[in-house]
Amino acid sequence: MKPVLMVLTLICLSQGPAVGQQSFVKIAIEPQLVLIERSTSAQAVSFDFSLENTGTETVRVAKIELSVYDQGGNLELRKFLASSNLRHGDYEIARIEPKSSLFLFNPFETFSPLVSLTRMQYTFFLETNEGKNAFSSSVTITPSEFKPKTRLQLPLKGRLLVHDGHDFYSHHRRFNLAHPFLKQIGVTHNFTRYASDLCVINERGELRRHASDNNTDWYGFGATVYAPGSGRVVRARGDSPDNIKGESTFTLDEFRKDPTMPAGNFIVIDHLNGEFSLMAHFKRGSIVVHEGDMVQAGQQLAEMGVSGDAEIPHVHYELRNASEVNALGLPAYFRNFIRLPITKHIPVGRGPINSGDILISR
């Protein structure tokens, strides 16, 4: 399902051109279905904007404003982001050249659990002709509560670190769908939107025994990986070599031909309810199930490795709505694990995980 372009009505804020002359800006959101991911301490909405400039003038995003309303239409929260915060070094990421697009990660996505998030209005304040002509465009988002169907458990046992999750700065989150290479291979959705990379650590939080280049020095290399939920194995590959010194063993041409190459050795489980689990970077030759096999939650599947696009041994986990590459990522809520802050253990009956979390899974 491709995102539908929403042509926005542009409201003139100055003595610039008439409204009808400003219709060259088109805005899309990806994905169209915006889900709310909830935890005990926060809630998040993960989606992105694509601003397309179909005209002949350069457009600049001067400011972004978010207004959040409750069910009664009352204003609950308002946030602003000025153009000075939309820069990276000398490169202005808020500038849209003629006949080009700007892919913008939603800057306002994490909120207090007390905010209802019933209706979210994002307003883009835009300029042309070096600020002489100013206008604004607004788009309204109505997030949906995600109701998971699969009873998930963590796919690893012991003490774990979420080395990289899906927070705003995670590489899983920063998936630029406007990148020419992704367009070239036909990727249109961020299937890693809610993904997590899980590593095994010791009680001191260390990832490896020695500072060497040997994969076996990492506590997680060879660790047993278990089925996170019941279902049918619909995809499996187990013959990719493990990387040495974190150097990927596949080429760019291989990636073009097969977009699953970064996963290395991987398994996809169809939970038979519209949800699928993908786990990646297994040790070569360690997969003990086959495509078509029915598996139960907690059943052994493989061993942790460092295959595909992996620099260190870990298990990449993501929940999605399909088995193919262009799936939509879904929030994953795991059951019955312990989260470790510094002062005490917190049992979690069901909840999400994210970057930096220290977990105990049994």
Side-chain angles (χ1 to χ4, degrees):
M1 177 178 66
K2 294 183 179 179
V4 177
L5 287 176
M6 296 174 291
V7 182
L8 305 178
T9 302
L10 303 177
I11 306 170
C12 189
L13 298 180
S14 69
Q15 299 301 315
V19 172
Q21 293 176 295
Q22 300 288 356
S23 60
F24 52 80
V25 176
K26 299 179 179 180
I27 298 181
I29 63 168
E30 166 59 33
Q32 288 183 321
L33 178 62
V34 177
L35 301 174
I36 301 175
E37 181 186 36
R38 297 190 190 277
S39 68
T40 55
S41 60
Q43 56 183 334
V45 287
S46 181
F47 66 93
D48 305 307
F49 296 99
S50 176
L51 287 73
E52 181 185 6
N53 179 5
T54 63
T56 58
E57 297 181 83
T58 298
V59 175
R60 178 173 171 270
V61 180
K63 184 175 69 173
I64 304 173
E65 176 184 292
L66 168 64
S67 299
V68 181
Y69 300 90
D70 64 16
Q71 293 181 345
N74 301 303
L75 180 66
E76 287 190 301
L77 181 70
R78 180 164 284 159
K79 293 187 175 185
F80 305 89
L81 182 65
S83 61
S84 58
N85 294 320
L86 289 170
R87 296 174 182 270
H88 179 69
D90 295 328
Y91 176 59
E92 187 176 7
I93 63 173
R95 191 177 181 89
I96 319 173
E97 300 298 331
K99 309 298 181 183
S100 64
S101 297
L102 168 69
F103 192 80
L104 186 64
F105 298 107
N106 171 24
F108 306 120
E109 64 171 31
T110 304
F111 303 90
S112 161
L114 301 178
V115 180
S116 65
L117 299 182
T118 301
R119 179 166 61 91
M120 310 173 71
Q121 180 175 294
Y122 288 80
T123 300
F124 291 82
F125 293 88
L126 309 169
E127 298 175 346
T128 62
N129 196 14
E130 298 183 354
K132 295 179 181 179
N133 301 322
F135 49 96
S136 70
S137 300
S138 295
V139 59
T140 298
I141 310 296
T142 54
S144 301
E145 183 74 27
F146 179 65
K147 298 179 180 179
K149 301 173 184 176
T150 308
R151 293 178 61 90
L152 293 175
Q153 62 184 51
L154 289 166
L156 294 164
K157 305 295 185 184
R159 190 173 294 249
L160 310 174
L161 166 67
V162 184
H163 191 274
D164 202 17
H166 51 276
D167 61 287
F168 187 72
Y169 296 103
S170 164
H171 77 277
H172 298 132
R173 176 72 180 83
R174 297 201 161 243
F175 200 92
N176 186 358
L177 292 172
H179 194 283
F181 182 77
L182 294 181
K183 289 185 175 182
Q184 184 184 95
I185 63 176
V187 174
T188 58
H189 296 304
N190 181 2
F191 44 85
T192 70
R193 184 170 296 279
Y194 296 99
S196 292
D197 290 342
L198 302 172
C199 294
V200 175
I201 57 175
N202 66 7
E203 291 187 355
R204 294 186 297 275
E206 297 167 336
L207 290 165
R208 52 184 178 174
R209 301 174 183 86
H210 310 287
S212 76
D213 294 328
N214 297 326
N215 289 332
T216 53
D217 283 345
W218 295 79
Y219 288 109
F221 188 77
T224 301
V225 181
Y226 303 91
S230 301
R232 178 183 293 113
V233 177
V234 292
R235 299 193 68 177
R237 180 174 65 213
D239 59 355
S240 295
D242 288 286
N243 301 325
I244 299 174
K245 299 181 182 180
E247 298 176 358
S248 298
T249 55
F250 63 91
T251 66
L252 200 58
D253 285 338
E254 289 175 320
F255 187 14
R256 286 192 181 94
K257 295 176 183 177
D258 182 1
T260 68
M261 289 302 295
N265 302 311
F266 72 99
I267 289 174
V268 178
I269 297 174
D270 180 357
H271 296 298
L272 307 178
N273 56 15
E275 296 175 358
F276 297 73
S277 284
L278 180 145
M279 290 151 289
H281 310 311
F282 297 143
K283 182 180 177 182
R284 185 178 192 175
S286 70
I287 296 178
V288 296
V289 294
H290 304 87
E291 292 185 5
D293 287 354
M294 295 296 298
V295 296
Q296 299 298 315
Q299 179 176 332
Q300 180 177 344
L301 299 177
E303 296 176 7
M304 181 190 293
V306 62
S307 59
D309 186 21
E311 295 182 353
I312 64 174
H314 70 278
V315 170
H316 170 99
Y317 176 84
E318 63 187 55
L319 189 68
R320 53 207 341 249
N321 73 342
S323 62
E324 63 266 15
V325 170
N326 273 317
L328 294 178
L330 301 172
Y333 293 93
F334 298 99
R335 293 177 178 269
N336 302 323
F337 63 92
I338 295 173
R339 200 188 309 273
L340 294 183
I342 296 175
T343 56
K344 60 182 179 180
H345 293 191
I346 300 178
V348 179
R350 191 191 75 171
I353 59 176
N354 217 328
S355 301
D357 283 349
I358 307 295
L359 316 170
I360 294 179
S361 173
R362 294 190 174 94

